[in-house]
Amino acid sequence: MSFEKTLTDKGITLPDAPAPAANYVPFARSGNLIFVSGQISADENGLIQGKLGETMDVEAGAAAARRCGLALIAQLRAATGSLDNVRRVVKLTGFVNSTPDFTDQPKVINGCSDLMVEVFGDAGRHARAAVSAAALPLGVAVEIEAIFEVE
């Protein structure tokens, strides 16, 4: 199965792989694993900022998480040259900028998880953590990091 073709068939356009904002690399490879640094919520208009439970609802948070997922996939393509070298999505760790009483972090991170399954099918099913954060860099709503297995 061609994951590159899946992107085209589904009309999914990846952003350019974002450059790191500090002293780290966007991804690191160890053996057959690619570790992608946390990708923050942003779209063609800039950063997606907000706090779940205060200025954003779950639907908007899930959309922000999907944007993180697109950036993760863009970094993965930059790391491998082609998504067709991907064996599986191993794990996502999602951070949600949310109020202390907000408890729907998993529903927010589903925006990214659903994208992984949409693009990679069964190989997109993964282990995951979805946690609250009192604040995230630049006031973004969501940040997600990932581990992928490649050939």
Side-chain angles (χ1 to χ4, degrees):
M1 167 180 253
S2 171
F3 299 129
E4 293 286 347
K5 185 174 181 333
T6 299
L7 282 180
T8 302
D9 290 349
K10 293 184 176 284
I12 298 172
T13 303
L14 297 179
D16 291 334
N23 189 19
Y24 63 91
V25 294
F27 54 82
R29 182 172 183 154
S30 180
N32 288 348
L33 297 178
I34 303 284
F35 296 78
V36 180
S37 295
Q39 301 296 297
I40 60 176
S41 52
D43 61 18
E44 57 280 346
N45 298 315
L47 298 175
I48 301 171
Q49 298 172 311
K51 186 174 280 290
L52 278 290
E54 183 176 290
T55 62
M56 292 182 83
D57 62 17
V58 170
E59 184 176 287
R66 180 180 175 90
R67 294 300 305 192
C68 293
L70 292 170
L72 288 166
I73 295 170
Q75 293 290 7
L76 179 61
R77 181 192 271 164
T80 63
S82 171
L83 297 179
D84 294 337
N85 295 319
V86 175
R87 287 189 186 158
R88 71 168 298 139
V89 181
V90 177
K91 184 173 184 193
L92 299 178
T93 303
F95 303 92
V96 180
N97 184 354
S98 55
T99 60
D101 60 339
F102 184 82
T103 59
D104 284 332
Q105 291 81 4
K107 290 179 183 177
V108 171
I109 302 304
N110 281 346
C112 184
S113 291
D114 293 347
L115 174 67
M116 295 301 160
V117 173
E118 181 180 355
V119 172
F120 298 109
D122 281 340
R125 298 191 188 284
H126 51 272
R128 186 180 89 175
V131 298
S132 180
L136 289 174
L138 306 171
V140 296
V142 181
E143 180 175 356
I144 304 175
E145 63 181 20
I147 303 169
F148 299 91
E149 181 183 6
V150 298
E151 293 179 357

